[in-house]
mmCIF file with all atom_site columns, all heavy atoms in Angstrom:
data_model
loop_
_atom_site.group_PDB
_atom_site.id
_atom_site.type_symbol
_atom_site.label_atom_id
_atom_site.label_alt_id
_atom_site.label_comp_id
_atom_site.label_asym_id
_atom_site.label_entity_id
_atom_site.label_seq_id
_atom_site.pdbx_PDB_ins_code
_atom_site.Cartn_x
_atom_site.Cartn_y
_atom_site.Cartn_z
_atom_site.occupancy
_atom_site.B_iso_or_equiv
_atom_site.pdbx_formal_charge
_atom_site.auth_seq_id
_atom_site.auth_comp_id
_atom_site.auth_asym_id
_atom_site.auth_atom_id
_atom_site.pdbx_PDB_model_num
ATOM 1  N N   . PRO G 1 348 ? 129.423 65.336 170.283 1.00 97.00 ? 446 PRO G N   1
ATOM 2  C CA  . PRO G 1 348 ? 130.209 66.464 170.780 1.00 97.00 ? 446 PRO G CA  1
ATOM 3  C C   . PRO G 1 348 ? 131.481 66.057 171.464 1.00 97.00 ? 446 PRO G C   1
ATOM 4  O O   . PRO G 1 348 ? 131.539 64.987 172.107 1.00 97.00 ? 446 PRO G O   1
ATOM 5  C CB  . PRO G 1 348 ? 129.258 67.168 171.761 1.00 97.00 ? 446 PRO G CB  1
ATOM 6  C CG  . PRO G 1 348 ? 128.032 66.351 171.859 1.00 97.00 ? 446 PRO G CG  1
ATOM 7  C CD  . PRO G 1 348 ? 128.073 65.240 170.874 1.00 97.00 ? 446 PRO G CD  1
ATOM 8  N N   . THR G 1 349 ? 132.525 66.847 171.289 1.00 96.00 ? 447 THR G N   1
ATOM 9  C CA  . THR G 1 349 ? 133.768 66.544 172.070 1.00 96.00 ? 447 THR G CA  1
ATOM 10 C C   . THR G 1 349 ? 133.965 67.765 172.975 1.00 96.00 ? 447 THR G C   1
ATOM 11 O O   . THR G 1 349 ? 133.421 68.849 172.782 1.00 96.00 ? 447 THR G O   1
ATOM 12 C CB  . THR G 1 349 ? 134.958 66.445 171.138 1.00 96.00 ? 447 THR G CB  1
ATOM 13 O OG1 . THR G 1 349 ? 135.248 67.703 170.550 1.00 96.00 ? 447 THR G OG1 1
ATOM 14 C CG2 . THR G 1 349 ? 134.745 65.464 170.012 1.00 96.00 ? 447 THR G CG2 1
ATOM 15 N N   . ILE G 1 350 ? 134.824 67.579 173.945 1.00 96.00 ? 448 ILE G N   1
ATOM 16 C CA  . ILE G 1 350 ? 135.099 68.677 174.878 1.00 96.00 ? 448 ILE G CA  1
ATOM 17 C C   . ILE G 1 350 ? 135.746 69.847 174.151 1.00 96.00 ? 448 ILE G C   1
ATOM 18 O O   . ILE G 1 350 ? 135.522 71.016 174.438 1.00 96.00 ? 448 ILE G O   1
ATOM 19 C CB  . ILE G 1 350 ? 136.028 68.178 176.056 1.00 96.00 ? 448 ILE G CB  1
ATOM 20 C CG1 . ILE G 1 350 ? 136.129 69.254 177.075 1.00 96.00 ? 448 ILE G CG1 1
ATOM 21 C CG2 . ILE G 1 350 ? 137.342 67.671 175.504 1.00 96.00 ? 448 ILE G CG2 1
ATOM 22 C CD1 . ILE G 1 350 ? 136.754 68.829 178.448 1.00 96.00 ? 448 ILE G CD1 1
ATOM 23 N N   . TYR G 1 351 ? 136.454 69.520 173.051 1.00 93.00 ? 449 TYR G N   1
ATOM 24 C CA  . TYR G 1 351 ? 137.093 70.584 172.264 1.00 93.00 ? 449 TYR G CA  1
ATOM 25 C C   . TYR G 1 351 ? 136.133 71.442 171.495 1.00 93.00 ? 449 TYR G C   1
ATOM 26 O O   . TYR G 1 351 ? 136.213 72.658 171.483 1.00 93.00 ? 449 TYR G O   1
ATOM 27 C CB  . TYR G 1 351 ? 138.117 69.948 171.335 1.00 93.00 ? 449 TYR G CB  1
ATOM 28 C CG  . TYR G 1 351 ? 139.035 68.997 172.057 1.00 93.00 ? 449 TYR G CG  1
ATOM 29 C CD1 . TYR G 1 351 ? 138.823 67.595 172.025 1.00 93.00 ? 449 TYR G CD1 1
ATOM 30 C CD2 . TYR G 1 351 ? 140.022 69.460 172.883 1.00 93.00 ? 449 TYR G CD2 1
ATOM 31 C CE1 . TYR G 1 351 ? 139.604 66.722 172.743 1.00 93.00 ? 449 TYR G CE1 1
ATOM 32 C CE2 . TYR G 1 351 ? 140.840 68.582 173.653 1.00 93.00 ? 449 TYR G CE2 1
ATOM 33 C CZ  . TYR G 1 351 ? 140.622 67.235 173.569 1.00 93.00 ? 449 TYR G CZ  1
ATOM 34 O OH  . TYR G 1 351 ? 141.323 66.395 174.310 1.00 93.00 ? 449 TYR G OH  1
ATOM 35 N N   . THR G 1 352 ? 135.164 70.739 170.866 1.00 94.00 ? 450 THR G N   1
ATOM 36 C CA  . THR G 1 352 ? 134.212 71.558 170.037 1.00 94.00 ? 450 THR G CA  1
ATOM 37 C C   . THR G 1 352 ? 133.214 72.295 170.971 1.00 94.00 ? 450 THR G C   1
ATOM 38 O O   . THR G 1 352 ? 132.796 73.361 170.672 1.00 94.00 ? 450 THR G O   1
ATOM 39 C CB  . THR G 1 352 ? 133.371 70.582 169.088 1.00 94.00 ? 450 THR G CB  1
ATOM 40 O OG1 . THR G 1 352 ? 132.887 69.509 169.840 1.00 94.00 ? 450 THR G OG1 1
ATOM 41 C CG2 . THR G 1 352 ? 134.264 70.115 168.006 1.00 94.00 ? 450 THR G CG2 1
ATOM 42 N N   . LEU G 1 353 ? 132.933 71.728 172.137 1.00 96.00 ? 451 LEU G N   1
ATOM 43 C CA  . LEU G 1 353 ? 132.037 72.431 173.068 1.00 96.00 ? 451 LEU G CA  1
ATOM 44 C C   . LEU G 1 353 ? 132.650 73.695 173.593 1.00 96.00 ? 451 LEU G C   1
ATOM 45 O O   . LEU G 1 353 ? 131.991 74.724 173.843 1.00 96.00 ? 451 LEU G O   1
ATOM 46 C CB  . LEU G 1 353 ? 131.634 71.513 174.242 1.00 96.00 ? 451 LEU G CB  1
ATOM 47 C CG  . LEU G 1 353 ? 130.677 70.346 173.869 1.00 96.00 ? 451 LEU G CG  1
ATOM 48 C CD1 . LEU G 1 353 ? 130.395 69.513 175.084 1.00 96.00 ? 451 LEU G CD1 1
ATOM 49 C CD2 . LEU G 1 353 ? 129.340 70.867 173.275 1.00 96.00 ? 451 LEU G CD2 1
ATOM 50 N N   . LEU G 1 354 ? 133.986 73.642 173.856 1.00 95.00 ? 452 LEU G N   1
ATOM 51 C CA  . LEU G 1 354 ? 134.657 74.774 174.472 1.00 95.00 ? 452 LEU G CA  1
ATOM 52 C C   . LEU G 1 354 ? 135.185 75.780 173.424 1.00 95.00 ? 452 LEU G C   1
ATOM 53 O O   . LEU G 1 354 ? 135.566 76.861 173.797 1.00 95.00 ? 452 LEU G O   1
ATOM 54 C CB  . LEU G 1 354 ? 135.778 74.305 175.344 1.00 95.00 ? 452 LEU G CB  1
ATOM 55 C CG  . LEU G 1 354 ? 135.389 74.098 176.854 1.00 95.00 ? 452 LEU G CG  1
ATOM 56 C CD1 . LEU G 1 354 ? 134.248 73.106 177.000 1.00 95.00 ? 452 LEU G CD1 1
ATOM 57 C CD2 . LEU G 1 354 ? 136.595 73.655 177.693 1.00 95.00 ? 452 LEU G CD2 1
ATOM 58 N N   . ASP G 1 355 ? 135.205 75.356 172.144 1.00 91.00 ? 453 ASP G N   1
ATOM 59 C CA  . ASP G 1 355 ? 135.737 76.267 171.129 1.00 91.00 ? 453 ASP G CA  1
ATOM 60 C C   . ASP G 1 355 ? 134.671 76.653 170.149 1.00 91.00 ? 453 ASP G C   1
ATOM 61 O O   . ASP G 1 355 ? 134.327 75.894 169.261 1.00 91.00 ? 453 ASP G O   1
ATOM 62 C CB  . ASP G 1 355 ? 136.932 75.517 170.418 1.00 91.00 ? 453 ASP G CB  1
ATOM 63 C CG  . ASP G 1 355 ? 137.506 76.352 169.306 1.00 91.00 ? 453 ASP G CG  1
ATOM 64 O OD1 . ASP G 1 355 ? 137.108 77.551 169.214 1.00 91.00 ? 453 ASP G OD1 1
ATOM 65 O OD2 . ASP G 1 355 ? 138.311 75.817 168.541 1.00 91.00 ? 453 ASP G OD2 1
ATOM 66 N N   . ASP G 1 356 ? 134.166 77.868 170.323 1.00 88.00 ? 454 ASP G N   1
ATOM 67 C CA  . ASP G 1 356 ? 133.093 78.333 169.440 1.00 88.00 ? 454 ASP G CA  1
ATOM 68 C C   . ASP G 1 356 ? 133.523 78.428 167.939 1.00 88.00 ? 454 ASP G C   1
ATOM 69 O O   . ASP G 1 356 ? 132.699 78.488 167.046 1.00 88.00 ? 454 ASP G O   1
ATOM 70 C CB  . ASP G 1 356 ? 132.598 79.717 169.877 1.00 88.00 ? 454 ASP G CB  1
ATOM 71 C CG  . ASP G 1 356 ? 131.880 79.654 171.222 1.00 88.00 ? 454 ASP G CG  1
ATOM 72 O OD1 . ASP G 1 356 ? 131.533 78.501 171.631 1.00 88.00 ? 454 ASP G OD1 1
ATOM 73 O OD2 . ASP G 1 356 ? 131.758 80.660 171.917 1.00 88.00 ? 454 ASP G OD2 1
ATOM 74 N N   . MET G 1 357 ? 134.841 78.496 167.760 1.00 90.00 ? 455 MET G N   1
ATOM 75 C CA  . MET G 1 357 ? 135.335 78.739 166.385 1.00 90.00 ? 455 MET G CA  1
ATOM 76 C C   . MET G 1 357 ? 135.484 77.392 165.624 1.00 90.00 ? 455 MET G C   1
ATOM 77 O O   . MET G 1 357 ? 135.751 77.351 164.453 1.00 90.00 ? 455 MET G O   1
ATOM 78 C CB  . MET G 1 357 ? 136.733 79.420 166.436 1.00 90.00 ? 455 MET G CB  1
ATOM 79 C CG  . MET G 1 357 ? 136.733 80.718 167.123 1.00 90.00 ? 455 MET G CG  1
ATOM 80 S SD  . MET G 1 357 ? 135.497 81.860 166.419 1.00 90.00 ? 455 MET G SD  1
ATOM 81 C CE  . MET G 1 357 ? 136.378 82.242 164.863 1.00 90.00 ? 455 MET G CE  1
ATOM 82 N N   . SER G 1 358 ? 135.342 76.259 166.340 1.00 88.00 ? 456 SER G N   1
ATOM 83 C CA  . SER G 1 358 ? 135.573 74.990 165.645 1.00 88.00 ? 456 SER G CA  1
ATOM 84 C C   . SER G 1 358 ? 134.419 74.735 164.663 1.00 88.00 ? 456 SER G C   1
ATOM 85 O O   . SER G 1 358 ? 133.287 75.172 164.923 1.00 88.00 ? 456 SER G O   1
ATOM 86 C CB  . SER G 1 358 ? 135.651 73.854 166.666 1.00 88.00 ? 456 SER G CB  1
ATOM 87 O OG  . SER G 1 358 ? 134.433 73.245 166.810 1.00 88.00 ? 456 SER G OG  1
ATOM 88 N N   . PRO G 1 359 ? 134.741 74.135 163.520 1.00 89.00 ? 457 PRO G N   1
ATOM 89 C CA  . PRO G 1 359 ? 133.728 74.022 162.456 1.00 89.00 ? 457 PRO G CA  1
ATOM 90 C C   . PRO G 1 359 ? 132.452 73.254 162.891 1.00 89.00 ? 457 PRO G C   1
ATOM 91 O O   . PRO G 1 359 ? 131.396 73.487 162.366 1.00 89.00 ? 457 PRO G O   1
ATOM 92 C CB  . PRO G 1 359 ? 134.457 73.312 161.341 1.00 89.00 ? 457 PRO G CB  1
ATOM 93 C CG  . PRO G 1 359 ? 135.763 72.824 161.913 1.00 89.00 ? 457 PRO G CG  1
ATOM 94 C CD  . PRO G 1 359 ? 136.053 73.571 163.152 1.00 89.00 ? 457 PRO G CD  1
#
Side-chain angles (χ1 to χ4, degrees):
T447 68
I448 188 168
Y449 310 100
T450 49
L451 289 177
L452 267 58
D453 176 9
D454 292 342
M455 303 304 285
S456 95

